[in-house]
Amino acid sequence: MNVNDTEVIFSILEKAGYGRTENIEEASVILANTCSVRDNAEQRIWGRIDQFKAVRKNRENVIIGIVGCMAERLKDSLLEKHDVDLVAGPDSYRTLPLMIGNITPGHPQINVLLSKEETYDDIVPVRTDKNGVSAFISIMRGCNNACSYCVVPYTRGRERSRDPKTILKEARDVFDKGYKEITLLGQNVDSYFWNDPETSDNNVNFAQLLEMVAKIDPTLRIRFSTSHPKDISDEVIYTMAMYENICKHIHLPVQSGSDRILEKMRRRYTREWYLERVEKIREVIPDCGITTDVISGFCSETEEDHRQTLSLMENVGFDFAYMFQYSERPGTLAARNYPDDVPPEIKTRRLNEIIELQGRLSLKSNENDIGKKMKVLVEGPSKKNPDEMCGRASNNKMCVFPRKFPDGYVSTTDTEEMPGIRKSGEIRIGDYIIAEVTSCTSATLICKLI
Ligand code: SAM
Ligand code: SF4
């Protein structure tokens, strides 16, 4: 989401006459787009600000700005304590050119107003991806949930959904520019809802939006993130099953396997509910990739709660997980109401057990794919071996495969229902290929071209 916000900022600034540079030494404005979700994300920014100040020492007129969630959370204390020139929260990016223009020595600028309407829906983001294959499109902003550990509702404000017409326009636009994959973004995509101001006949929910985007072209892949277990509907699951180009992957953050902790986190679902949603996904889409987020050591978590998390992970057999230690965020419900009482060494030990288990689960899940055929969208050269290429299968697993079909080989794979597949010759970024999995690691499927 921050990458996409950065793309929006580039667009706003380009319109105002600014150009982008990758070279900090020639920048006249340096902005850091920041995250507040965990303390370590914030800690990294302080070092960056010191680097920026070293640049400003040599060139007095350089402007240093902090934008995004840290700007929203820390507000004018950033100006006072950290001597930056500009502080701009996530809903204030349209005012950036004006703010930058108004900065004079000793007169920094700040705008941290949150909005109930801003979705930047008319702004065409300047894409920053390197390969021209995958693009992010924000479909909503903010969050109306109040998970007790989470700072997002405070830094990004109330949830608002973007007009579907502007989402479709942006999606068609990126497809016309050659992109092959779109990821629809929101903190809780299942609660996307567009209330048409003119007639309720035109209201659009997330399943309907997914279908509209999928219909743009069968060679355009659709992904989305993040789904909330309490809100993911059967309608969304059935819509995914209906369209080949909606990728068969759901990121479904569970956070904990203990009902007591889930209640304390205010996630508003139980272990049983979560497992039922997974069962439904698997019943309708048997080959769906399911990934998750897990937090270790939330307030008052006992060994038994931790074991419940491990057993849920084992029970689901997640393909992949993002795993974190609980990090208390000032001002959140948890920080105000519950002591952060799991000692750091216990948080770390539990996190290591979670990571170790997920490593085994990922390997097992990948081993189950050996022998399967995958449709893969080629993203670029493999990082480890320049003679190989890599790309993702529909279930979001990373695949590596040779750069070329053998000379004279033409694939006879039946791809009638899958348009746009390369069957011979040299493979290029943005191609679709059919790969057969021959072996794996816990992170990668190793494939041959067929
Ligand atoms: N909206 C998404 C959802 O509800 O699943 C997640 C958004 S959050 C930016 C991404 C992940 O960061 C969460 O799923 C959670 O695992 C983790 N996270 C959020 N707050 C955290 C905290 N205070 N400490 C540790 N991890 C946290
Ligand atoms: Fe944070 Fe919960 Fe909203 Fe996700 S759903 S952004 S974890 S408050």
Side-chain angles (χ1 to χ4, degrees):
M1 200 158 262
N2 260 4
V3 170
N4 190 230
D5 275 7
T6 299
E7 296 178 332
V8 166
I9 292 171
F10 277 137
S11 176
I12 291 167
L13 290 179
E14 269 190 9
K15 244 201 184 127
Y18 291 89
R20 268 171 74 191
T21 173
E22 305 254 322
N23 178 5
I24 199 165
E25 296 302 332
E26 65 180 25
S28 49
V29 179
I30 306 170
L31 302 180
N33 192 1
T34 57
C35 173
S36 284
V37 168
R38 283 168 294 278
D39 185 55
N40 56 6
E42 289 199 353
Q43 292 307 325
R44 283 203 298 268
I45 290 295
W46 305 130
R48 296 289 284 162
I49 293 179
D50 288 343
Q51 270 179 315
F52 300 162
K53 283 187 189 159
V55 177
R56 192 172 60 182
K57 226 180 198 165
N58 297 336
R59 289 188 293 127
E60 270 179 10
N61 294 331
V62 170
I63 288 170
I64 300 176
I66 300 297
V67 306
C69 288
M70 271 176 85
E72 194 60 51
R73 198 177 83 68
L74 298 168
K75 303 190 170 52
D76 30 16
S77 74
L78 281 169
L79 301 177
E80 288 152 19
K81 290 197 199 137
H82 297 279
D83 184 26
V84 298
D85 308 298
L86 179 137
V87 172
D91 287 344
S92 71
Y93 300 148
R94 285 181 202 269
T95 64
L96 279 173
L98 189 69
M99 290 168 77
I100 293 170
N102 284 344
I103 293 168
T104 53
H107 293 96
Q109 295 282 308
I110 177 165
N111 184 352
V112 287
L113 284 179
L114 286 174
S115 154
K116 287 197 177 118
E117 286 95 33
E118 181 61 274
T119 56
Y120 300 110
D121 59 1
D122 56 328
I123 291 176
V124 181
V126 172
R127 304 285 160 196
T128 53
D129 60 279
K130 296 270 188 284
N131 62 9
V133 174
S134 304
F136 296 120
I137 300 186
S138 288
I139 61 167
M140 59 209 293
R141 295 182 74 82
C143 181
N144 279 1
N145 293 311
C147 302
S148 60
Y149 52 81
C150 185
V151 77
V152 169
Y154 304 89
T155 58
R156 291 192 160 259
R158 303 293 293 166
E159 180 185 288
R160 56 229 110 114
S161 294
R162 178 174 167 190
D163 184 338
K165 290 190 281 301
T166 68
I167 297 171
L168 285 175
K169 183 171 176 294
E170 189 175 333
R172 277 199 202 97
D173 225 55
V174 292
F175 180 64
D176 290 344
K177 287 191 178 121
Y179 284 83
K180 294 284 179 61
E181 183 174 80
I182 282 172
T183 304
L184 305 176
L185 295 176
Q187 292 298 347
N188 180 3
V189 289
D190 304 285
S191 73
Y192 173 89
F193 193 79
W194 170 251
N195 230 324
D196 193 297
E198 272 149 37
T199 153
S200 59
D201 295 347
N202 291 340
N203 290 351
V204 177
N205 68 18
F206 181 59
Q208 292 162 329
L209 178 73
L210 256 185
E211 180 163 32
M212 289 156 117
V213 182
K215 280 180 169 167
I216 289 177
D217 194 282
T219 64
L220 178 66
R221 263 186 173 185
I222 323 299
R223 295 187 183 278
F224 55 88
S225 192
T226 301
S227 301
H228 197 300
K230 78 176 163 60
D231 293 320
I232 185 165
S233 64
D234 288 356
E235 195 187 352
V236 165
I237 300 170
Y238 284 116
T239 306
M240 287 177 72
M242 251 159 54
Y243 290 88
E244 191 273 329
N245 59 334
I246 302 180
C247 288
K248 306 299 178 264
H249 168 228
I250 298 180
H251 186 62
L252 199 64
V254 67
Q255 317 298 359
S256 169
S258 151
D259 280 341
R260 196 181 69 81
I261 294 293
L262 286 172
E263 163 104 45
K264 217 166 178 161
M265 288 177 161
R266 294 184 50 142
R267 288 290 286 177
R268 302 209 175 104
Y269 52 83
T270 59
R271 176 188 176 96
E272 191 189 4
W273 171 276
Y274 187 92
L275 291 172
E276 187 282 327
R277 289 290 75 198
V278 168
E279 213 170 288
K280 183 73 193 180
I281 295 166
R282 297 228 162 109
E283 174 201 316
V284 180
I285 316 170
D287 51 355
C288 193
I290 302 182
T291 57
T292 200
D293 294 349
V294 183
I295 298 177
S296 82
F298 184 64
C299 314
S300 84
E301 186 188 73
T302 62
E303 283 307 306
E304 176 49 27
D305 295 318
H306 171 58
R307 272 194 294 278
Q308 293 272 317
T309 298
L310 296 175
S311 88
L312 181 135
M313 291 172 68
E314 196 121 33
N315 194 324
V316 175
F318 291 112
D319 297 295
F320 176 83
Y322 293 104
M323 299 157 282
F324 314 103
Q325 290 188 31
Y326 171 57
S327 161
E328 187 178 79
R329 308 310 296 128
T332 54
L333 285 169
R336 284 184 273 139
N337 295 314
Y338 313 126
D340 181 10
D341 54 2
V342 178
E345 62 281 7
I346 293 189
K347 280 186 188 169
T348 307
R349 195 254 302 149
R350 289 181 189 162
L351 178 63
N352 286 340
E353 286 174 14
I354 288 169
I355 292 171
E356 194 266 333
L357 170 60
Q358 186 52 50
R360 277 190 283 125
L361 295 176
S362 296
L363 182 63
K364 193 163 150 200
S365 154
N366 285 353
E367 283 169 352
N368 280 341
D369 284 339
I370 293 176
K372 288 188 189 162
K373 293 170 186 158
M374 307 265 174
K375 181 180 172 187
V376 177
L377 174 59
V378 181
E379 288 177 15
S382 145
K383 285 196 187 94
K384 289 195 182 143
N385 179 352
D387 289 335
E388 291 181 331
M389 301 287 272
C390 68
R392 283 182 195 273
S394 173
N395 63 8
N396 208 38
K397 289 188 182 176
M398 184 52 86
C399 302
V400 296
F401 38 86
R403 183 179 276 278
K404 271 174 84 174
F405 281 92
D407 285 342
Y409 181 92
V410 178
S411 168
T412 53
T413 312
D414 178 13
T415 54
E416 250 172 55
E417 284 180 23
M418 302 185 196
I421 297 210
R422 177 170 293 282
K423 294 180 163 192
S424 62
E426 181 140 353
I427 290 164
R428 298 198 197 100
I429 294 174
D431 282 343
Y432 285 107
I433 50 124
I434 304 292
E436 184 178 317
V437 184
T438 53
S439 63
C440 67
T441 66
S442 62
T444 312
L445 299 178
I446 296 151
C447 306
K448 64 178 184 188
L449 299 166
I450 58 167

